[in-house]
Amino acid sequence: MLPSPIWAMAHNHGAHRNTGSQRRPNRSGEPEASSFSSVVAGLSLSLSESTCEGGSTSKSSLEFTSSSVFSSQVSPREAVAAGGNPEPKNRARSFFLFASAFFYAVELLREAAMANLYVTAVPPADLNRNTEWFMYPGVWTTYILILFFCWLLVLSLTSCSPGMAWTVVNLSHFLVTYHFFHWKKGTPFSEDQGIYNGLTWWEQMDNGKQLTRNRKFLTVVPVVLYLIASHTTDYQNPMLFLNTLAVMVLVVAKFPNMHKVRIFGINADK
């Protein structure tokens, strides 16, 4: 037999809810849930009355009361309004998923930033062994270090001034690069079957493509050497004349309009 206070509370609550033909839907479209606070209040009232009347609460009344409370349709909004926390596990799971996605995005950004630190050289379709060495990472740095150590070598072996040593390095760089880059033709390898016999090293580089990064670098180097040698010698002759002549010949030979051009037939194919 159910305790009279609990039966009266359930009867009154059901009669009050059934006054209309149907339950009025709330704003979300679902039926209006029972009040969480009223059920809890009824539970405490029934427990207190049953305890006062009988001195102890029966097991059946506790089971009925607890099942009535937990089986009632209490919305999360009403539970939060009553001071409860309806979904602690869902909130913890959502926080864990958000944190995992955040750290995964940070890791992707770090890997992308690290990938930009490495230089990737893409070889052309027709790879020429005579020019492929200049596509390796670190060639530009090695090129500059060789020029710097040559200046130190000239400065240490001779008693000349630093400006004169730069002039010697600039003229030596002119003679070496003009001979091997702009005068000598062909390749030392036989597997190319003579297809590069009529082209200089500069004309073979990057498959003949103009204004590439390598070509721009090799064009800037003699200009920088000219400026350093001229400035350190205080623009005095004959060093200024020799340095100017060297840089003009090297820069003009590297122009895109001079590709496969032989001025006055000099160094032309016989």
Side-chain angles (χ1 to χ4, degrees):
M1 185 65 181
L2 298 177
S4 58
I6 299 178
W7 174 257
M9 179 191 67
H11 179 72
N12 294 333
H13 183 69
H16 175 72
R17 301 291 291 178
N18 294 329
T19 54
S21 59
Q22 291 181 350
R23 293 183 180 180
R24 291 179 298 175
N26 55 14
R27 294 181 180 178
S28 61
E30 299 176 357
E32 182 180 1
S34 60
S35 174
F36 180 80
S37 58
S38 62
V39 176
V40 173
L43 173 62
S44 59
L45 179 62
S46 62
L47 287 177
S48 61
E49 292 180 356
S50 60
T51 303
C52 294
E53 293 176 358
S56 62
T57 304
S58 62
K59 182 178 180 182
S60 60
S61 63
L62 288 176
E63 289 178 354
F64 173 78
T65 307
S66 62
S67 62
S68 301
V69 172
F70 291 105
S71 62
S72 60
Q73 298 178 354
V74 180
S75 64
R77 184 180 300 176
E78 294 176 349
V80 173
N85 190 7
E87 297 180 351
K89 294 183 179 180
N90 293 339
R91 291 183 179 180
R93 187 182 299 110
S94 301
F95 176 79
F96 177 75
L97 293 177
F98 174 78
S100 302
F102 175 76
F103 286 113
Y104 180 71
V106 171
E107 184 66 18
L108 290 180
L109 292 176
R110 188 187 69 83
E111 292 179 358
M114 291 297 295
N116 294 331
L117 298 178
Y118 298 95
V119 179
T120 56
V122 180
D126 186 12
L127 193 60
N128 186 1
R129 291 180 59 188
N130 192 34
T131 58
E132 66 172 346
W133 60 271
F134 206 81
M135 301 177 62
Y136 296 152
V139 173
W140 292 9
T141 305
T142 305
Y143 196 98
I144 296 174
L145 290 177
I146 289 175
L147 293 176
F148 178 73
F149 284 117
C150 288
W151 174 76
L152 290 179
L153 183 63
V154 173
L155 195 62
S156 60
L157 295 180
T158 62
S159 58
C160 62
S161 62
M164 184 60 67
W166 278 118
T167 301
V168 173
V169 171
N170 185 30
L171 296 178
S172 302
H173 176 264
F174 159 70
L175 295 175
V176 173
T177 56
Y178 184 80
H179 175 75
F180 287 101
F181 290 176
H182 303 285
W183 187 267
K184 190 176 180 60
K185 297 179 181 179
T187 65
F189 308 103
S190 58
E191 58 266 19
D192 55 21
Q193 299 180 0
I195 60 177
Y196 300 112
N197 288 344
L199 300 177
T200 61
W201 186 90
W202 180 261
E203 295 167 345
Q204 299 174 29
M205 188 174 63
D206 294 332
N207 247 2
K209 186 178 180 180
Q210 302 298 316
L211 300 178
T212 59
R213 295 179 59 190
N214 292 329
R215 291 180 183 270
K216 293 177 182 178
F217 170 77
L218 291 177
T219 305
V220 170
V221 168
V223 176
V224 174
L225 283 177
Y226 166 74
L227 295 176
I228 295 175
S230 300
H231 181 73
T232 52
T233 55
D234 296 328
Y235 303 97
Q236 296 178 358
N237 286 319
M239 286 77 71
L240 180 62
F241 174 76
L242 295 176
N243 290 325
T244 305
L245 180 63
V247 71
M248 286 182 61
V249 173
L250 285 181
V251 172
V252 170
K254 292 178 172 60
F255 283 167
N257 296 331
M258 298 298 295
H259 186 67
K260 298 181 180 181
V261 174
R262 307 291 184 260
I263 299 178
F264 303 121
I266 301 174
N267 198 25
D269 296 333
K270 297 180 180 180

